Amino acid sequence: MSGPRSLITAARTMGREECEALAKRTLSFTTADETRVIINSGGRGNTRFAVNQISTGGDNYDATVSVRSTFGKRTGVVNTNKLDDASLKSAVGLAERLAKLSPDDPEAMPELGPQTYADPKGWSEATASLDPTSRASAARAITEPARAAGLVSTGYLETQAGATAIANSKGLFAYGKQTALSLTTTVRTEDGTGSGWAGATSHDFSALDPKDLGARAIDKARRSVNPVAIEPGRYTVILEPTAVGNLVQFITGAMSARNADEGRSFFSKAGGGNKIGMKVVDERITISSDPLDPEAYANTFSGDGQPLSKTTWIETGVVKNLSYDRFWAQKQGKTALPTSGTVRMSGGSATMEEMIAATDRGILVTRFWYLRPVDPRTILYTGLTRDGTFLIERGRITRPIKNFRFNESPIYMLNNLDVMGRPVRVSASEAGGPGLAIVVPPIKVRDFNFTSLSDAV
Amino acid sequence: MVALDAARSAGAQYADVRISRNRVQSINTRERRVQGLSDNETFGFGVRTLVGGAWGFAASSDLTRDEVARIARQAAAQAQANRATLVRPVVLAAAPGNVTGTWQSPHRIDPFAVAIEEKVALLLSANEAALKVQGSRFVNSSMFFLREEKTCANTDGSFTVQTIYRASPNMTVTAVSSDFSDFQSRQATDIAPMGRGYEHVIDSKLVENAPRWAEEAVQKLSAKPVDVGRYDLVLHPTHLGLTIHESIAHPTELDRVYGYEANYAGTSFVAPPEQMLGKFRYGPEFMNIQGDRMQDGSLGAVGWDDEGVQPETFLIIKNGLVNDYQTTREQANWLDWWYKQQGKPTRSHGCSYAQSWSDVQFQRMPNVSLLPGEQNLKWEDLIAATERGIAIIGDGSFSIDQQRYNAQFGGQLFYEIRGGKITGMLKDVAYQMRTPEFWNAMDMIGGKDSYWLWGAFGDAKGQPSQSNAVSHGCPPTRHRGINVINTGRKA
């Protein structure tokens, strides 16, 4: 490949041996009872385009060492990105000083000894070696057709390539390197009356088709021109997978056993305790996470060195597991269960076309935006539809409609389930970065609560 | 200078380099324990180049002569690659105040010089004071400090050295009903983060205020659920700052107006400028919105922005009409016609900012503030003048559409107003609004003695998303007939 080389290369991501050596060097400076060292290294490349041309871009590289020192039940943490001996010694010294100044933590847990981890997957050379010229080509595959169609494209391509290593003074060592990328685009009509979005994320750039993604956004922009206002209220909705991912991630984000046991969570049980074993959503819903899911790779260890493996959070509508940190697990007599960086939801076999054809009156939602918690008692969120919202009448899409604000909980949504399609990996981060790896289906649900109209296109 | 020379040799017409060392300390506690105590430092540099009208940026943490030159060349090569799609070349406006100098945030006590034990003891004492209140079950408190030492230079001859401080003390108290059927939290949003030193923590009086926050959390459990409908809202500055941030500050960012943020933050209803400047009525005659990076102790205050511009104070809304936008050097030229009409020079307002050495700078909001009214009215005066309404204190849940029309805001505390008096506490309150109607429904405004600086610490914009910190000053206001919904759902 011609053109300038990206800073993001495999050589810039520290290898296992390099991390082991750096961890050993850092640990050699310690005097604490226990020390944990976390090493992150890697780079990020990005290209933004707006109004059909590249507006900014960036390539950066960094490597950081985090030192966590513990004396008895006292802990201090220091992060630095200067990796010479003097800087590392100084970081260790500061972490130890902080630890000594900290009061005893009654919830302190000892460092784990050596663990066995599955080999993490999810490294793609195609992603790691993507340079600014190739990123510009991907952008052009969207901007050129948009310009030719008299439309205005804006978008973002981000690649990440990095390695994480954890080591401690008890001999634990974990290492994993991964790539991630996302490409999203919003195409608008020149008069600003139509807007369409498409996005994709993967660990592997070769799995993405920028031209196809641009074509989808272009099509939506054209079809969404001059939306009409319809009354807010409760509607049957067909949510594209991105919209489902936007909301379902809030369920797994709320699955802390401790918050539930303490009475400050949707998963708190009336009268005390938590909802493990209770049915909370439709029995067709199973939500799990698996770091070795081929569609959603993630690291195979947690930040404190616990191995991560496949976990089912909700099984056939029933709460199967909540996450337990090591302290809370010990206190409650449970097994520790770390949170995970992926979400997979079960699906069905309906196609989008079949869902639309079987809908007498409903609304098709491309994605949601500005999602914010309103009431943690019910995981109630507010937010708005955006970039492609259509009315379905008598089995077909009849017209674009103005965007709605909703106040709705993914829990209620998954209780009002009608039918589901095939799960796919989605780009569900509002900021357009790779975000959490989420695999969810399109779904059709009843009584989705739209509370007001928005004039925004 | 190695960076600037290397960038020039690689074909850059303009280049700037930022070297920064950010030190961040945070202490987090809950109830009687310290959950986390960390001290982080990151050091590196970034080089931005303009080659043939296209931007390039590269950054590294390895500050050696060879790496600096390599990164500068890389930024220039990237700019060259980015020219592939070029339609309108970037042209920079002149930068007055583009000088050599030093600046630092006003601070009396360097937070990093204060003993950790003192900070921990203060937080744990505040937690203890909150837990003494019957019914308060959980309390989280924290302190966060930043010191950023930033050196910037550009090929126009600017060379600036700045030290920026930020301090953010926080507390949240949660009450849980005895039958586990309800829980309510009170965040201490009446303490804003500020661009100050440790004195801001002392002035926040955490220990003295903690019992009140705890009592308010407990009171929320038995507050009356709000009846939906239209109410006159009396909004406290601790609440209103966020509404200003979302519904005025964001839509007047000029990059949004021209579509540059369409893929994430969105565009703006305050567009196109030709139909807005001097014409669009945002609010009543007494509404004046100021942009600045000057206010004492504000989060947006700097000596120079991240492209060497000395910021100026400007009116975004003047007597209720749109008067200006937030700009960088690239953007100021886009409004050249307006500034000529007004007899003003075309110059950047100094709104360029990057969150760290590893990120490219772009247009970020300065402090955007609602200036006080001429009558010196106070919070109590606005309540006394209100027949039937709701008073809202503190910011809570918030969401707004991508053009900044439709918004929904919650809060921390809600009080029913009847006959000019507060008659009781309400809960599950949120108001939904359409921005121009909301601001045109403002009929009362507080005076200078009730003006207060609210602060946002993690304002996200851009791709990759970058975090900005800004303050929004405002007095209390009253807005007539705003739609209020009840957010407490059971099924």
Side-chain angles (χ1 to χ4, degrees):
Chain A
M1 199 166 287
S2 64
R5 286 290 299 160
S6 167
L7 290 175
I8 300 170
T9 63
R12 283 262 176 182
T13 300
M14 285 187 193
R16 175 182 285 270
E17 291 74 25
E18 200 180 348
C19 286
E20 269 179 318
L22 177 57
K24 201 173 277 181
R25 186 152 59 92
T26 309
L27 287 169
S28 74
F29 302 134
T30 64
T31 62
D33 296 344
E34 292 187 339
T35 305
R36 185 194 308 164
V37 175
I38 301 177
I39 301 164
N40 282 298
S41 66
R44 183 170 68 186
N46 74 82
T47 295
R48 299 186 78 182
F49 52 99
V51 202
N52 292 332
Q53 71 174 9
I54 291 174
S55 51
T56 59
D59 286 285
N60 63 50
Y61 165 76
D62 199 7
T64 61
V65 170
S66 170
V67 181
R68 185 176 193 277
S69 302
T70 305
F71 291 93
K73 288 181 169 293
R74 301 163 168 240
T75 296
V77 178
V78 167
N79 292 309
T80 181
N81 70 343
K82 304 306 289 176
L83 309 185
D84 59 281
D85 278 0
S87 300
L88 289 174
K89 264 185 205 165
S90 152
V92 168
L94 181 56
E96 295 189 350
R97 271 207 308 285
L98 289 180
K100 285 176 182 167
L101 293 171
S102 174
D104 269 5
D105 177 6
E107 299 185 9
M109 295 295 290
E111 286 292 316
L112 291 167
Q115 305 285 310
T116 307
Y117 307 101
D119 275 341
K121 293 185 176 165
W123 177 267
S124 154
E125 275 306 316
T127 304
S129 63
L130 200 70
D131 63 20
T133 304
S134 305
R135 296 200 306 259
S137 298
R140 243 162 87 175
I142 296 170
T143 58
E144 290 299 316
R147 193 203 319 264
L151 299 167
V152 183
S153 66
T154 302
Y156 179 59
L157 169 59
E158 176 176 327
T159 62
Q160 297 173 0
T164 301
I166 301 181
N168 71 22
S169 50
K170 284 180 149 177
L172 177 146
F173 184 80
Y175 174 84
K177 67 170 188 172
Q178 289 180 317
T179 53
L181 88 147
S182 63
L183 174 60
T184 56
T185 184
T186 304
V187 177
R188 295 171 64 80
T189 57
E190 275 192 354
D191 64 1
T193 66
S195 183
W197 178 91
T201 179
S202 171
H203 75 283
D204 180 8
F205 179 69
S206 58
L208 256 61
D209 183 347
K211 197 169 175 184
D212 172 65
L213 201 127
R216 282 193 277 135
I218 286 170
D219 174 56
K220 273 219 172 111
R222 282 178 163 152
R223 290 196 287 119
S224 65
V225 172
N226 294 323
V228 297
I230 64 169
E231 278 293 307
R234 293 204 175 218
Y235 282 90
T236 290
V237 292
I238 295 175
L239 305 179
E240 289 197 6
T242 301
V244 176
N246 289 147
L247 291 177
V248 165
Q249 59 187 319
F250 299 132
I251 296 179
T252 49
M255 298 191 82
S256 149
R258 182 168 190 171
N259 281 348
D261 293 340
E262 289 178 342
R264 45 172 164 170
S265 156
F266 164 74
F267 293 99
S268 303
K269 194 160 76 176
N274 64 46
K275 288 183 176 163
I276 288 180
M278 290 175 67
K279 183 169 178 292
V280 292
V281 290
D282 188 282
E283 60 274 5
R284 285 168 289 173
I285 300 294
T286 293
I287 296 174
S288 60
S289 55
D290 180 1
L292 299 179
D293 185 333
E295 285 185 279
Y297 288 126
N299 233 334
T300 53
F301 48 90
S302 66
D304 57 358
Q306 297 182 72
L308 292 175
S309 55
K310 183 172 178 180
T311 304
T312 302
W313 303 100
I314 291 176
E315 189 167 48
T316 58
V318 176
V319 180
K320 177 93 172 164
N321 281 297
L322 294 172
S323 67
Y324 283 83
D325 63 36
R326 290 177 58 219
F327 166 76
W328 198 248
Q330 179 182 275
K331 185 174 160 63
Q332 303 290 89
K334 305 277 183 184
T335 306
L337 186 61
T339 55
S340 170
T342 71
V343 177
R344 174 180 278 275
M345 188 171 106
S346 54
S349 57
T351 63
M352 285 295 285
E353 291 73 23
E354 287 165 354
M355 288 190 211
I356 292 166
T359 303
D360 187 48
R361 184 174 164 83
I363 290 166
L364 176 71
V365 176
T366 296
R367 67 160 175 152
F368 292 120
W369 154 254
Y370 223 119
L371 297 151
R372 290 294 183 279
V374 174
D375 190 344
R377 296 173 299 184
T378 52
I379 321 184
L380 188 79
Y381 273 70
T382 189
L384 297 113
T385 63
R386 178 172 170 180
D387 304 321
T389 310
F390 301 95
L391 183 65
I392 300 165
E393 292 172 297
R394 291 175 299 284
R396 60 185 196 89
I397 292 173
T398 50
R399 50 196 158 149
I401 55 170
K402 284 197 174 190
N403 286 306
F404 278 123
R405 170 174 298 288
F406 70 87
N407 277 267
E408 188 55 274
S409 160
I411 295 289
Y412 298 143
M413 175 181 89
L414 294 181
N415 271 295
N416 293 332
L417 186 66
D418 184 3
V419 64
M420 296 192 282
R422 191 179 65 77
V424 294
R425 174 81 181 263
V426 294
S427 169
S429 131
E430 280 187 30
L436 201 65
I438 299 176
V439 183
V440 287
I443 63 174
K444 181 176 163 185
V445 297
R446 299 176 300 275
D447 294 330
F448 196 88
N449 188 30
F450 292 119
T451 52
S452 62
L453 268 177
S454 162
D455 286 323
V457 173
Chain B
M1 295 307 120
V2 172
L4 300 182
D5 290 344
R8 266 205 212 92
S9 307
Q13 288 87 53
Y14 166 89
D16 53 43
V17 57
R18 262 180 302 120
I19 305 170
S20 70
R21 181 189 299 276
N22 285 23
R23 185 165 172 200
V24 167
Q25 189 179 77
S26 65
I27 306 169
N28 292 286
T29 76
R30 63 169 286 177
E31 291 92 58
R32 297 179 176 93
R33 63 177 281 254
V34 175
Q35 280 184 298
L37 187 58
S38 72
D39 201 305
N40 305 327
E41 188 165 274
T42 180
F43 181 55
F45 69 98
V47 181
R48 184 175 66 149
T49 60
L50 190 59
V51 179
W55 287 119
F57 176 80
S60 171
S61 56
D62 182 11
L63 194 70
T64 58
R65 180 170 280 268
D66 284 354
E67 178 74 348
V68 169
R70 195 183 74 78
I71 287 290
R73 287 193 299 272
Q74 165 70 22
Q78 190 203 88
Q80 193 71 38
N82 290 348
R83 288 181 69 194
T85 60
L86 195 65
V87 184
R88 295 160 307 280
V90 171
V91 179
L92 298 181
N98 201 359
V99 292
T100 298
T102 60
W103 185 90
Q104 63 176 358
S105 304
H107 67 283
R108 290 200 311 275
I109 308 168
D110 182 339
F112 296 92
V114 177
I116 291 286
E117 305 96 301
E118 185 180 330
K119 296 168 182 163
V120 167
L122 176 61
L123 291 177
L124 293 180
S125 306
N127 292 3
E128 209 57 52
L131 289 168
K132 276 194 185 129
V133 172
Q134 178 103 29
S136 90
R137 283 283 299 275
F138 306 107
V139 53
N140 290 79
S141 64
S142 63
M143 290 183 198
F144 173 95
F145 304 103
L146 165 82
R147 182 176 64 210
E148 178 173 22
E149 296 163 279
K150 180 157 65 179
T151 301
C152 300
N154 69 28
T155 50
D156 289 348
S158 165
F159 187 90
T160 60
V161 180
Q162 305 188 76
T163 308
I164 293 157
Y165 284 90
R166 289 181 193 147
S168 177
N170 293 291
M171 177 170 265
T172 301
V173 186
T174 302
V176 182
S177 64
S178 53
D179 63 354
F180 282 75
S181 65
D182 193 7
F183 60 93
Q184 294 285 340
S185 291
R186 165 70 160 119
Q187 289 173 31
T189 54
D190 34 349
I191 304 173
M194 293 197 84
R196 291 197 186 282
Y198 192 74
E199 68 275 10
H200 178 47
V201 173
I202 297 171
D203 295 345
S204 298
K205 298 191 184 305
L206 292 171
V207 180
E208 293 83 345
N209 283 316
R212 175 170 58 81
W213 295 323
E215 281 157 16
E216 287 164 348
V218 175
Q219 283 167 22
K220 282 170 84 169
L221 286 173
S222 53
K224 189 174 92 177
V226 69
D227 292 327
V228 301
R230 290 195 173 267
Y231 291 85
D232 293 346
L233 300 183
V234 180
L235 304 178
H236 197 265
T238 55
H239 170 88
L240 189 63
L242 179 58
T243 305
I244 291 169
H245 176 86
E246 301 293 354
S247 70
I248 301 174
H250 274 308
T252 55
E253 294 167 330
L254 198 56
D255 51 1
R256 293 180 69 117
V257 168
Y258 279 94
Y260 280 68
E261 296 291 331
N263 191 46
Y264 169 38
T267 57
S268 171
F269 77 91
V270 193
E274 298 75 26
Q275 291 170 26
M276 291 286 148
L277 285 165
K279 294 175 186 164
F280 183 77
R281 180 153 290 284
Y282 220 106
E285 187 75 19
F286 61 79
M287 179 181 184
N288 288 291
I289 296 286
Q290 170 186 287
D292 77 82
R293 305 193 69 177
M294 299 274 288
Q295 288 183 77
D296 189 42
S298 64
L299 291 164
V302 290
W304 296 270
D305 78 352
D306 283 351
E307 50 186 8
V309 174
Q310 194 161 29
E312 62 175 352
T313 297
F314 58 108
L315 277 183
I316 295 171
I317 292 169
K318 187 176 174 183
N319 301 328
L321 298 177
V322 174
N323 182 63
D324 211 336
Y325 292 89
Q326 306 157 44
T327 58
T328 62
R329 289 184 67 184
E330 177 182 350
Q331 297 166 345
N333 287 326
W334 303 346
L335 299 181
D336 189 42
W337 62 273
W338 171 249
Y339 296 129
K340 280 192 176 129
Q341 233 178 65
Q342 301 294 305
K344 287 182 187 164
T346 297
R347 57 154 290 180
S348 161
H349 292 312
C351 302
S352 177
Y353 174 80
Q355 68 177 5
S356 85
W357 58 265
S358 64
D359 293 286
V360 69
Q361 61 270 61
F362 69 123
Q363 194 268 301
R364 297 311 300 263
M365 69 175 71
N367 303 313
V368 173
S369 302
L370 173 64
L371 298 181
E374 284 174 10
Q375 286 179 281
N376 203 7
L377 297 176
K378 295 190 179 62
W379 170 248
E380 294 76 15
D381 299 327
L382 271 58
I383 288 172
T386 302
E387 190 53 37
R388 178 178 177 272
I390 298 173
I392 304 182
I393 294 173
D395 61 276
S397 176
F398 58 102
S399 170
I400 190 162
D401 70 39
Q402 74 275 15
Q403 289 190 314
R404 306 276 149 174
Y405 273 124
N406 174 311
Q408 176 175 315
F409 293 97
Q412 290 302 315
L413 303 171
F414 313 98
Y415 295 99
E416 186 170 41
I417 306 170
R418 286 290 167 98
K421 290 193 168 58
I422 284 176
T423 53
M425 191 186 258
L426 298 170
K427 70 175 172 184
D428 302 334
V429 177
Y431 61 92
Q432 293 191 340
M433 61 181 241
R434 190 176 181 276
T435 299
E437 279 79 357
F438 173 81
W439 285 107
N440 278 290
M442 174 168 70
D443 73 338
M444 289 185 85
I445 185 166
K448 62 180 181 352
D449 290 345
S450 55
Y451 182 86
W452 188 78
L453 266 188
W454 183 90
F457 226 53
D459 177 34
K461 181 182 165 188
Q463 293 182 303
S465 180
Q466 291 189 46
S467 186
N468 181 29
V470 288
S471 296
H472 299 292
C474 56
T477 55
R478 185 175 76 172
H479 302 252
R480 304 299 295 267
I482 306 298
N483 185 35
V484 168
I485 63 166
N486 182 314
T487 60
R489 253 180 81 179
K490 296 291 177 204

